[in-house]
Each structure stands twice: as C-alpha cells, then as structure tokens.
Amino acid sequence: MCFLRRPGAPASWIWWRMLRQVLRRGLQSFCHRLGLCVSRHPVFFLTVPAVLTITFGLSALNRFQPEGDLERLVAPSHSLAKIERSLASSLFPLDQSKSQLYSDLHTPGRYGRVILLSPPGDNILLQAEGILQTHRAVLEMKDGRNSFIGHQLGGVVEVPNSKDQRVKSARAIQITYYLQTYGSATQDLIGEKWENEFCKLMRKLQEEHQDLQLYSLASFSLWRDFHKISILARSKVLVSLVLILTTATLSSSMKDCLRSKPFLGLLGVLTVCISIITAAGIFFITDGKYNSTLLGIPFFAMGHGTKGVFELLSGWRRTKENLPFKDRIADAYSDVMVTYTMTSSLYFITFGMGASPFTNIEAVKVFCQNMCVSILLNYFYIFSFFGSCLVFAGQLEQNRYHSIFCCKIPSAEYLDRKPVWFQTVMSDGHQQTSHHETNPYQHHFIQHFLREHYNEWITNIYVKPFVVILYLIYASFSFMGCLQISDGANIINLLASDSPSISYAMVQQKYFSNYSPVIGFYVYEPLEYWNSSVQEDLRRLCSGFTAVSWVEQYYQFLKVSNISANNKSDFISVLQSSFLKKPEFQHFRNDIIFSKAGDENNIIASRLYLVARTSRDKQKEVIEVLEKLRPLSLSKSIRFIVFNPSFVFMDHYSLSVTVPVLIAGFGVLLVLILTFFLVIHPLGNFWLILSVTSIELGVLGLMTLWNVDMDCISILCLIYTLNFAIDHCAPLLYTFVLATEHTRTQCIKSSLQEHGTAILQNVTSFLIGLVPLLFVPSNLTFTLFKCLLLTGGCTLLHCFVILPVFLTFFPPSKKHHKKKKRAKRKEREEIECIEIQENPDHVTTV
C-alpha cells in the first residue's frame, strides 16, 4: 500500500487520509472475513438464529402481560405536579372530602361518570325524572353504597339581565360517582367490578331512555381504550406483513430465471420478522409489559432490516459471476456491511439515548429500550440467517439451478425444441449474450429504469432549475410548520377513535369547556389570615378566578355579623366557635387544618378552590394558568401550591417529549463530527449532516401542518427519521464522494446505479406496508402512519431528486481525478511509444 502526496498538501492532511484509508480497509477486511466465515458454515449460522427465535418466541407467549398503569406510561416521570399531589394528599386525604363536590382534586381512584345530554333545543332541567331514574339505578348497584357524587351543568343559558346569574336552561348534566376503596386490594377489585357493571348499566339505560343520550366513563376506560388499539391493529399488521412480503418478492425478481432472487426477498422480510419475535421474547422475559405504543416497533425494525437485505442483494449483483460463490459472498459483505454496521450503530446510539434516564416519558423509554434490542438482533440475523440464505441461493446459481423450481436449467438446444411458454419459464434470459456482458444483473427492471431513463432525466440541465424551486417550496412549508408546533398532552390522542372515552371527551369538551377543572389552592404554611396585607395578597392571587374560599366567606360573615377579629386569638376563636358550626359553613371544616400548642390554636394549612374561565382550547389555557401561578408561589410571601390531577399529564409535557429528540439528534451530530476525519471522507459526513437535518426539519414541519401534535408517538417517529435518513443517504453520499469519474454528474449517476435499486426497493416496501394502518380506527395509528409516510416520502425525495441535483453544483470537486487519469493515460502512451521504437518489426498496419 502506498500513499501519494498531493503537491502542496500539508503533512497533517496526508496523515488523516492515511488513517481514514487504514480504518476503511480494516473494516472491509473484517467484513470480508465475516462473509467467508458465513459462506463456509451456512448451516451453523442458519440454525443458531432459528433456535433463538423458537426459545424466546415461546417464552413471549407465556409471559405476555399488558401494562395496566396508563399514567406511568404517558405522564412525565419526574414532575413537580406529582410532588404537589403527594403534599396535597398528605394534608387533605380523600376520605375527608367524600361529601364534597371538589373530591376530584385528588386522584379519585375508582369512579364512574356519566353525561346526560338532551336532544337539540331541549332543556335537560325539564327531564328530571329521567335523570333521577338513572341516579337511583346507579345507587342501587351492588357495592355502590359507598359512592358519593359530584355534578355539573353544561351548555348553560342564563336568564337575560339577571343579576344573580340565574340558569334559564342547560343542555347537559355531568354526574360523577366516586367509590371508596381505601387502598385495599379487595376493595379495588370490588370497585373494578362495579365499574364494569356501571358501564353495562349505562348502555342498558340508553336503550330505555331514547330521549336522552348517555355518555359514560370509568377510571379503567382510558386504559381499556388504549389497550384496545392493539386488538384492533392485529389483523392490519398481518396485512402489512403480507404486503411487504409481496413487494419484496416482486422487486427481487427478474426475467432471468437463474439470477432472479424472489425467495431471497421473501426470506429477507421473514428474517426481520423472526428477529422482532426474538426481541419481543427477551423483552417479556425481563419482565417487560406490553403497551400499544410498541405497535410501531415492527414497522421501525422492518424499515432498517429490509434495507440491509436489499443492499446485500445489490452487493451480490455487483460481484463478478466468474468467482466462486463463497468469494462472491465475502465481496458482497465487504462492500455492504461496513456502511450497514455504521448505520446500525447510529440506530443503537440514538435509541439508546432515548432509553437513558434523561427521558422523562416512560412509554418513550420502554420503546427505545425494546428498539435497541431489536436493532442488535436485526443486525445479527441479517448477517447470519439471511447471509446463510444468500449462500444457498448463490450455490444454486453457480450450479445453474432455477431460482424458483430449484431444477437444472436446460441447455439452449433443448429449449429450442420446447414451446414458447416453456422457454419463457426456463430460460435464463442471457443464453446468447451472458458471456459477453460485464454485468447481466443490469437487466433488473429497477436498475434498467434508473440507468436508461431516470439518471439521464434528473441530471438534465433543464430539470435542475425546477428541482431547486421544488426544494425552496419544500423548505418554506417545513419552516412554516416548525413555527406552529403544538404539544400533544391530551391523552385522548392515544386512544381508539371509536371508543366510548373519545365520545365522552368530545361531549365534555363541547358542553363543559367554559370553565377549567377545579384547581386546589393549598396554603401549606402558617399564615396571618387576620392581617389586612395577607388578605389583600390572597385577593390578588385569586383575582381572575371564580373562587370557593372559606377565607372570603369568613370575612363576609364577620362583616355581616359586625364582629371584629383583628388579632390571632379573636380570629381563630370566632372561626371555630361560631363560623364553622353554622350548617351552611360546616363543609369548610375539611379545608382547614388546626394544631394546638398548649391552650393556643393555630392554622397550619388550608385550601381554597379556584375555577378559571376558559374557551374551547381548554387544555392550553389550563397549562398557561399553571405556568403563571407557580412562579407566584416563590415570589409572594404566601407559600402555596396549586394542583389538579390533570396537571400530572400536562406538567412540562412539551419539554419532556422533545428532550429525547434533542438528545438523539445531538448524539447523531456528535458521532458524525467525531468521525469527521476518520470515516471514508469528511465531505461525506458534511453532506450527510445537511441531508439528515433537511429531512428531519421537513418531517417535523410537514407533520405539524398535517395536524400532528408532539406526543410520545410523533417523538419516537422523529427519532426514527434521523436514522432512516442516515440509512438511505449514507451509502449514496459515500459512494459519490469516493467515485473517480471525470465529472460530478457521472459520479451521481454511478451512485444512483449502485444504490438506487436498494433504496427504491426498501422505501417502496416500507410505504406500502403502512397502508393498512389507515384502516385502524385509532389516533395513535393515524399519527404513526402520517409520520412514517412523511419520513419515507422526504427520504425518497432527497435521495432521488434533491441530492442528485445539488451534488452536481457543490463540492467535492472531481477535477483531480480527471488530472490523475490524464497523467496515467499520457504515461501509458509514452510506454507504448517506447515499446514501438524498440520493436518496430512487431508493429502491424491495420
């Protein structure tokens, strides 16, 4: 091996170039030896993966267990709201509030809710008999004797010019039935049975009361409708698998019955499938619990695994036919597995970072952990199981066996005596010209289309301006979408779209969105409530809210009764002996915590209730209220917390879901920068960074314009987009920067001819496999379909339209390759002239 120094090049540049070439050739040598090892022991590499799949696959069936805690999955794991909930529950336990409307300030445990909706134009208040019948039927249920209720009117119309806001009519009423379980497992089981009976009762009452519409919800409804997605998607996933198998089989076929590899396309997809089954078995053996977000793993793993399958097939087609099949396998591994190893490593790094403690969403963490295992097994199964299949197929080809029927291909003389249909089925298609062609595989229909038609069209000088305009439009829409990103903290985005929970949520949003949920305002330190400045601070904090406050009621009571309570002893004495003993104020006893030190009583904590006026976008405004109130608890003299159970899902959700993408993107960028001067060519990494950034921002912006929120599913898809883009752009770019043709146009044509077939095969199979997801009635699968469709579409656009045009404009330059070839040609001509002068008798005039 020798390294020629370019004139004027610094010594450091030479050393970096030498290091890159040593590393590249070392990796190629390792992959070549791996290919030889697989080709010499195909039975071993075929048997080991099969045994692993059988072992772990059976264990997956025995240990399958669904995840039952939805909050643990989708709510931020580390949030201030969970700390606030613990503090609120310790100060004011749920069993002390069982007779109050505001019991939903805590995590309510077991409950049942029903919305009774009157027909359009009717007044729900005039249908009291139907409401009372429903109410009595619920209270008469078994094990429902410990329930307590809360109610709320919706779609309220007030009496015009009414000073005390009298209700004229209402369209809906919501009734909530809470069950006391006290944390007992037996009581919780009874409560679960009660909830099931409650839902059945609501369906029965709906049939009896045709003049009312009943929408029910129980505490387990969200989990049930979340898990229902997996049941609905089973058949669709199988249809996706069939479509991918069909596409892979057809795209791997040729008219040439000798060189066609339909079974290899089919076996390649099955290889990825059994690797996914093995990963699932390992996941369940390690006490993993299934949840519906894991539905995306088969599609993610398939997109990466089939890329390796099609690249190995392309690598096999690029090898020389006159070599033994073992050497051809080794050459294909040397050509393909270096890049595939790099992209698999980046998959593992990005999803490994998503599984790190920095990720605050448990569903994202569990998905990334499972994906890391799937990627490792995918890589192992591709080079072992599929590699063994490729060995057997290569042996059949070398011995001239039919690629489908596995029988000897007859000679040309024998075929000439047979019918046309027999010649079509049994002819290798190259009987006359195969020995004179450099590469018979160029007759593959995708490669033929790219070489003869597409490459000339996309590099045409008249097409390039339109491609530039197309990219500007693409970038504009992407940028516009990135400015409109919205977080998806609403949990109904993860449920089956035709589920009762969705129907309930839509009705609740329509008729009960005028006010926010009841927000608990907890003062957790002793406070001088009798002090006028403290009273003013409390009024200022509660301004803008509809407050239900014992403090305001007590001040009003003192004013009406003309009682002075300007010091601590008078204030607490009147509060305990007079105010809290009146029937209309007795319910405030549960909102004040007294302590006694000797003969002196103190108020150590208390709570108020706040309700904010909201518009239709209720959730966004509640988040804004939370973000405004929390800083005030630190800046004001009053130490307080605010809490509602919905805050657990909303608290810093947008930050929690974006962190995994930022970490994964930073990891990819860091790896590419660190290998900038080590892997193949620095300009290859530079172009790869630009391409991946363009694809990632394009998917992010376009999915926002397509009404996709930033929830845990879209975040996982964005992490996958980083890797999918690298998986397809890296081979194309590295082949381009290493090409030695005279011009950039010839280099990009060579790159497309070498890798375009595998890219088109994989992306086409990937996109066709997504189609059945459209028929799963679920917001989760809709999000998965939209994001993965944009991922495949943007990657295909860059690989076949944007990069082939832009690489002809910008570096790397190919002039030095042209100069080297001219120098070699001139040197060869001088040698020929010398030989002619020395041997003039050998020159023959033609």
Side-chain angles (χ1 to χ4, degrees), residues 147 279 434 583:
S147 64
S434 60

Side-chain angles (χ1 to χ4, degrees), residues 28-41 45 325-334 337 383 387 391:
Q28 286 181 332
S29 176
F30 171 78
C31 292
H32 189 275
R33 292 177 182 177
L34 178 63
L36 282 177
C37 183
V38 172
S39 64
R40 290 168 181 169
H41 310 283
F45 285 99
F325 71 93
K326 293 182 180 181
D327 292 336
R328 294 184 67 185
I329 294 289
D331 289 345
Y333 270 60
S334 175
M337 292 304 292
F383 81 75
V391 170

Side-chain angles (χ1 to χ4, degrees), residues 33-295:
R33 292 177 182 177
L34 178 63
L36 282 177
C37 183
V38 172
S39 64
R40 290 168 181 169
H41 310 283
V43 177
F44 174 78
F45 285 99
L46 193 70
T47 306
V48 172
V51 171
L52 289 176
T53 300
I54 294 172
T55 304
F56 290 108
L58 292 176
S59 63
L61 295 175
N62 297 329
R63 292 175 174 264
F64 177 82
Q65 186 178 2
E67 176 62 64
D69 190 353
L70 190 58
E71 179 189 311
R72 175 178 171 272
L73 276 179
V74 299
S77 302
H78 309 288
S79 67
L80 187 58
K82 290 187 176 181
I83 300 174
E84 292 167 344
R85 178 175 63 186
S86 300
L87 179 58
S89 298
S90 63
L91 292 173
F92 301 96
L94 181 62
D95 58 351
Q96 293 183 8
S97 309
K98 63 183 180 181
S99 61
Q100 302 303 319
L101 170 65
Y102 308 104
S103 299
D104 57 352
L105 287 174
H106 304 268
T107 301
R110 297 291 179 183
Y111 65 88
R113 284 178 179 164
V114 59
I115 294 178
L116 294 93
L117 183 65
S118 63
D122 287 357
N123 186 356
I124 193 70
L125 301 178
L126 300 178
Q127 302 189 27
E129 185 61 29
I131 297 173
L132 292 175
Q133 286 181 5
T134 303
H135 178 59
R136 283 193 291 267
V138 174
L139 294 183
E140 290 173 0
M141 290 173 59
K142 293 182 180 180
D143 301 312
R145 56 187 179 276
N146 290 329
S147 64
F148 52 95
I149 68 167
H151 60 276
Q152 185 181 4
L153 290 176
V156 175
V157 177
E158 298 177 357
V159 176
N161 303 320
S162 174
K163 295 182 180 180
D164 52 355
Q165 295 182 336
R166 293 183 180 180
V167 176
K168 179 181 179 181
S169 65
R171 179 76 194 281
I173 183 171
Q174 177 178 250
I175 307 176
T176 305
Y177 300 89
Y178 298 99
L179 295 181
Q180 294 292 341
T181 57
Y182 301 107
S184 168
T186 305
Q187 289 284 338
D188 187 68
L189 183 61
I190 294 173
E192 182 180 355
K193 293 181 178 179
W194 184 91
E195 288 181 348
N196 283 306
E197 293 298 323
F198 172 80
C199 293
K200 293 178 182 177
L201 177 64
M202 291 302 107
R203 289 193 291 270
K204 180 181 177 182
L205 292 174
Q206 177 65 78
E207 297 175 358
E208 297 177 359
H209 299 279
Q210 298 296 330
D211 54 339
L212 288 175
Q213 299 179 37
L214 276 66
Y215 301 90
S216 62
L217 183 77
S219 66
F220 75 94
S221 297
L222 295 178
W223 173 86
R224 177 197 62 197
D225 296 335
F226 177 68
H227 186 63
K228 183 181 177 182
I229 299 172
S230 301
I231 301 172
L232 294 173
R234 285 176 185 171
S235 59
K236 309 303 185 296
V237 172
L238 292 177
V239 174
S240 294
L241 176 59
V242 172
L243 290 176
I244 295 173
L245 284 169
T246 305
T247 307
T249 303
L250 294 177
S251 64
S252 303
S253 302
M254 296 173 61
K255 291 182 180 180
D256 187 338
C257 70
L258 176 65
R259 298 170 182 85
S260 179
K261 297 290 183 289
F263 284 136
L264 277 184
L266 183 115
L267 289 171
V269 176
L270 292 179
T271 301
V272 181
C273 291
I274 62 176
S275 72
I276 295 171
I277 294 173
T278 309
I282 294 174
F283 174 70
F284 289 120
I285 283 177
T286 55
D287 296 328
K289 294 183 179 180
Y290 177 81
N291 65 82
S292 293
T293 59
L294 299 178
L295 191 65

